[in-house]
Amino acid sequence: MEDDFIIEAQNITVRYGELTVLEDVNFKIRRGEIFVIVGGSGCGKSTLLRQLIGLEVPTEGQILIEGENLSEASQDDSSSIMKKFGILFQSNGLFASMTIGENVKLALDSNTSLDEETADRIIDIKLNSVGLINYKNFYPSEISGGMQKRAALARAMALDPDILFFDEPSSGLDPLTASALDKLIIELNAGLNTTMVIITHDLASILTISHRVLMLDKSVKGVITEGKPEELLNMKENELVYNFFNRIPMEG
Amino acid sequence: MSKKIVQIDYVNEGDSIAMKPSGELVMTNADNYDLKQMPITKDTKSITLDMENVERYDTFMLAFIYRVETMCKEKEIKFEMIGVNTDMQSYLDLLMPKDEAEPEKEEKGSKFVLKVENLGNKIKTNLTDIHGFVEYFGILTTKMLKLFVKPLSMRWEDFPSQMFRSGVMALPITILIVFLIGLITGYQGATQLKRFGADMFIADLIGISITRELSPLMVAILVAGRSGSAFAAEIGSMKVTDEINAMTSMGYDKYEFLVLPRVLAVVLSMPFIVMICNVVGLFGGLIAAISTLDVTVISYINRLEMSLTYGDIASGLIKSLFFGFVIAAIGCYKGLKVEGGADSVGRMTTSSVVASVFMIILSDAIFTFIFQAIGI
């Protein structure tokens, strides 16, 4: 079980013209793990996420999802691999012209042939799991930012994905709402054994939810360390890591 | 890897049915099951759902259980579920909705009451809109008048670029359209005039229709489609991204910063566009005239000089000033009315074009009566 890797990033290099953002990045994510990717601004976190979810193809290297090479997959194959993902985007990505229920239904309609009644029940289950059962007929603009995040999470989970990706889930949320979202992530991970890959800056969140942390830095254009959050918090031998996790500004 | 489908076996045991799903009870297998196939008769007293052989499941399993349970409730049949292992039970406990809370947005009341309520809400919305526009129009007019006293109150930095975008950039399409309108009017008119031997009056027809009506009207409609919609979308997007709030918090007035430069730019550029289009429209008519009638270039121009008055040209230019004001004012108003997200920007942009075109035609009719009355 320990070595049941669901995602493997092998020698990932990403270049945009002359600019190299990531160079020779390697890591593996275990099934059912909450894996957090951290790093300062401009270190390539979002670039890495785009490669992981198949929105971009790395210049070199490959991304394996359950052993299937996402980077070299044909259009059809990559679509089928991508059905294993649920993604919670930083700005939610909820369709403003649809109700919360319709947003969740959209994911179901495009990938399943469920009848109306069953689909409706699944929407209820999804919204219930994020505590929004009473807001099915509300539009995104009619609910708070925290609720929008949860609604987007319900949509991301609509197809029971094996992997959930989160891009800055707590951005724009107050500490209490962010903490409630963390609790929900932990509950869903424990209950559903869904692998969670989270990109975040929020230290409180990292320390609360993560099983393992990967830290990127732009000085090396890649990974500077990887480990359990408590190890990284006390990693005095690496100044960059220690300062990041203890919120100590770098000199100069 | 072959995909396992869900199979449901039914075992009749007297007045009870044992329902035994097996395989993968997952969403992608949804089209493999049909509850209508269940052999329920009027004697059926109970249904036992045996989950022992379900190998893999997802949220679909919960919906499936719910549907069987609901069907049993409706038919007053006893429902029981067995063969649920610990993992499956934890899954059900985590996801199965505990209680059915009343939706907060549920509409209550009879159909008649709802219809009256909806009608009332629509009237209220429309009245609020009218009130909002009158208020906006009042503020805008006051700000424009204030410009005479305090010319520097407006953000003039934006004015040249707005004038370029809504004036100069609109020229190619307006010129082309009015040229074609002149050409079409010329050909249509020539056919009729030829029947009466009134060839020379083609210049009167083209001259008056282009300068008084067609040129200002076509230019206004095109500018409404180009600039009016652009203003609504631009200001609407700024509202969505809180740029207008930021501007207000820095002490800027949104009218002086955003609305006035756009309104003035369109108002002042409209007469110039119309003047250029007048010439082009008359030229289009000339081509139609010389190619279909016994008319020369010189005689066409001489006739134009005789038939066209300064009043004809002035009435078109005066109207164009007003049309420009209507287009820019409505475009900016709709932009400021945006609330929510991208869909609202789209709705307001469409609405700005529809409202502008309607107001252009309406005000054109009013102008016609006024000019008739005062003899222009």
Side-chain angles (χ1 to χ4, degrees):
Chain A
M1 190 65 184
E2 276 291 295
D3 289 336
D4 183 10
F5 296 114
I6 194 164
I7 301 176
E8 289 179 55
Q10 297 177 346
N11 313 107
I12 300 298
T13 296
V14 181
R15 287 191 202 97
Y16 299 109
E18 296 293 306
L19 178 72
T20 303
V21 181
L22 294 170
E23 195 158 31
D24 201 23
V25 172
N26 290 281
F27 61 90
K28 293 176 180 178
I29 301 174
R30 291 188 186 96
R31 189 180 298 277
E33 158 172 80
I34 301 181
F35 189 82
V36 175
I37 300 171
V38 300
S41 300
C43 69
K45 299 189 297 290
S46 297
T47 304
L48 181 58
L49 179 71
R50 286 198 296 275
Q51 320 301 313
L52 290 175
I53 61 179
L55 290 181
E56 285 178 16
V57 178
T59 316
E60 286 168 29
Q62 53 188 12
I63 307 279
L64 302 180
I65 307 289
E66 291 186 315
E68 293 179 88
N69 190 346
L70 180 63
S71 319
E72 287 173 9
S74 65
Q75 182 101 33
D76 286 348
D77 290 344
S78 69
S79 295
S80 115
I81 297 172
M82 284 159 82
K83 278 181 191 166
K84 293 174 184 174
F85 305 159
I87 304 156
L88 177 64
F89 292 99
Q90 191 173 354
S91 54
N92 304 324
L94 289 169
F95 297 107
S97 58
M98 295 180 188
T99 62
I100 300 306
E102 287 166 347
N103 264 282
V104 180
K105 189 169 185 292
L106 192 70
L108 294 174
D109 284 348
S110 60
N111 293 292
T112 65
S113 51
L114 296 167
D115 58 77
E116 281 293 312
E117 208 176 321
T118 309
D120 212 43
R121 184 61 186 169
I122 290 179
I123 294 165
D124 285 350
I125 292 165
K126 296 298 172 189
L127 290 177
N128 181 67
S129 67
V130 296
L132 288 179
I133 185 75
N134 289 342
Y135 295 88
K136 190 176 173 181
N137 297 321
F138 281 64
Y139 286 91
S141 58
E142 296 174 324
I143 58 175
S144 69
M147 289 159 103
Q148 286 177 14
K149 288 274 183 195
R150 283 188 279 145
L153 179 56
R155 188 179 69 178
M157 296 193 312
L159 293 168
D160 291 314
D162 295 331
I163 311 162
L164 270 171
F165 290 96
F166 298 76
D167 190 6
E168 302 280 2
S170 53
S171 76
L173 300 182
D174 65 79
L176 289 178
T177 313
S179 164
L181 187 65
D182 286 347
K183 191 166 168 271
L184 182 63
I185 290 171
I186 293 170
E187 274 176 15
L188 293 172
N189 169 260
L192 307 176
N193 198 35
T194 309
T195 308
M196 312 271 190
V197 181
I198 302 169
I199 286 189
T200 184
H201 278 300
D202 188 339
L203 277 179
S205 190
I206 297 166
L207 297 172
T208 311
I209 63 177
S210 62
H211 295 156
R212 219 149 48 92
V213 180
L214 180 87
M215 186 168 172
L216 303 178
D217 194 76
K218 61 182 170 188
S219 61
V220 295
K221 295 183 175 118
V223 180
I224 50 167
T225 191
E226 187 183 332
K228 291 183 176 170
E230 55 275 17
E231 291 169 0
L232 271 57
L233 185 67
N234 299 308
M235 195 178 269
K236 288 187 177 162
E237 65 275 18
N238 189 327
E239 197 186 1
L240 271 173
V241 177
Y242 187 79
N243 287 352
F244 183 89
F245 277 86
N246 291 279
R247 304 186 64 166
I248 302 168
M250 295 291 281
E251 287 173 15
Chain B
M1 192 174 71
S2 64
K3 190 175 119 181
K4 288 183 182 175
I5 62 161
V6 61
Q7 186 183 329
I8 304 172
D9 296 322
Y10 300 100
V11 182
N12 269 307
E13 296 162 346
D15 58 0
S16 70
I17 297 172
M19 191 175 179
K20 295 182 175 176
S22 58
E24 300 189 340
L25 209 50
V26 294
M27 275 187 233
T28 44
N29 285 341
D31 46 358
N32 297 143
Y33 95 107
D34 186 1
L35 283 182
K36 286 174 191 149
Q37 290 175 354
M38 201 188 290
I40 297 178
T41 64
K42 58 181 187 302
D43 299 326
T44 307
K45 294 277 187 304
S46 69
I47 287 178
T48 306
L49 181 60
D50 186 351
M51 304 296 282
E52 197 179 351
N53 297 323
V54 174
E55 291 167 22
R56 199 165 75 88
Y57 49 84
D58 64 14
T59 316
F60 176 65
M61 177 181 74
L62 283 86
F64 174 78
I65 295 170
Y66 171 80
R67 290 203 56 192
V68 177
E69 201 174 356
T70 309
M71 192 181 66
C72 289
K73 267 185 198 159
E74 281 169 4
K75 295 183 187 288
E76 295 178 344
I77 296 170
K78 193 183 157 207
F79 172 78
E80 192 190 3
M81 187 163 63
I82 58 169
V84 177
N85 61 35
T86 323
D87 284 349
M88 197 184 279
Q89 190 59 54
S90 314
Y91 190 80
L92 292 172
D93 290 344
L94 179 72
L95 291 180
M96 193 66 104
K98 303 290 183 294
D99 45 14
E100 296 292 321
E102 281 289 308
E104 290 178 8
K105 270 189 107 181
E106 196 174 16
E107 292 175 330
K108 285 171 185 165
S110 68
K111 276 187 178 176
F112 176 73
V113 173
L114 280 176
K115 275 185 181 171
V116 173
E117 200 178 315
N118 284 340
L119 182 69
N121 282 335
K122 275 182 186 166
I123 293 171
K124 189 182 161 197
T125 310
N126 285 332
L127 288 176
T128 313
D129 276 354
I130 293 169
H131 173 264
F133 186 72
V134 171
E135 189 184 19
Y136 164 83
F137 187 77
I139 296 171
L140 183 58
T141 312
T142 316
K143 298 274 180 193
M144 286 186 86
L145 292 174
K146 192 181 148 194
L147 272 184
F148 289 105
V149 187
K150 274 180 150 182
L152 291 179
S153 62
M154 189 185 98
R155 185 178 155 81
W156 287 99
E157 289 92 325
D158 268 358
F159 179 72
S161 67
Q162 292 296 344
M163 190 126 180
F164 180 79
R165 281 162 58 188
S166 51
V168 180
M169 299 287 280
L171 273 176
I173 186 69
T174 49
I175 284 175
L176 175 68
I177 296 293
V178 178
F179 170 76
L180 291 173
I181 292 286
L183 197 70
I184 294 162
T185 313
Y187 275 113
Q188 297 286 357
T191 319
Q192 302 302 320
L193 292 170
K194 206 170 189 176
R195 288 166 58 192
F196 301 103
D199 292 20
M200 195 39 72
F201 289 103
I202 186 76
D204 299 54
L205 173 72
I206 300 288
I208 293 169
S209 59
I210 288 287
T211 55
R212 288 191 80 104
E213 286 299 331
L214 294 176
S215 176
L217 204 58
M218 290 314 298
V219 168
I221 290 169
L222 288 168
V223 171
R226 272 190 92 259
S227 305
S229 59
F231 293 165
E234 193 180 3
I235 295 177
S237 304
M238 289 175 81
K239 199 156 176 226
V240 170
T241 53
D242 281 335
E243 284 177 54
I244 294 179
N245 285 342
M247 194 183 292
T248 311
S249 70
M250 284 188 276
Y252 289 107
D253 182 305
K254 62 187 174 194
Y255 288 88
E256 290 163 357
F257 202 96
L258 293 173
V259 181
L260 278 183
R262 285 168 173 77
V263 172
L264 268 191
V266 179
V267 168
L268 295 180
S269 56
M270 278 292 281
F272 291 103
I273 305 175
V274 170
M275 271 195 280
I276 294 167
C277 287
N278 281 348
V279 176
V280 176
L282 296 176
F283 179 68
L286 169 68
I287 291 176
I290 57 176
S291 60
T292 54
L293 298 170
D294 191 18
V295 173
T296 62
V297 176
I298 300 294
S299 60
Y300 180 85
I301 293 169
N302 286 342
R303 186 67 205 171
L304 269 182
E305 274 184 329
M306 284 167 65
S307 60
L308 268 185
T309 63
Y310 287 113
D312 293 327
I313 296 166
S315 70
L317 296 180
I318 291 167
K319 278 199 288 192
S320 72
L321 281 170
F322 187 79
F323 291 163
F325 178 75
V326 166
I327 293 163
I330 290 176
C332 295
Y333 173 69
K334 293 291 180 184
L336 291 171
K337 284 261 296 173
V338 165
E339 269 169 10
D343 63 324
S344 178
V345 177
R347 266 188 284 117
M348 287 301 160
T349 306
T350 310
S351 166
S352 79
V353 178
V354 175
S356 297
V357 172
F358 171 73
M359 286 303 292
I360 288 164
I361 308 278
L362 182 70
S363 52
D364 190 37
I366 295 168
F367 270 116
T368 306
F369 288 122
I370 295 172
F371 290 149
Q372 196 89 37
I374 61 177
I376 296 179

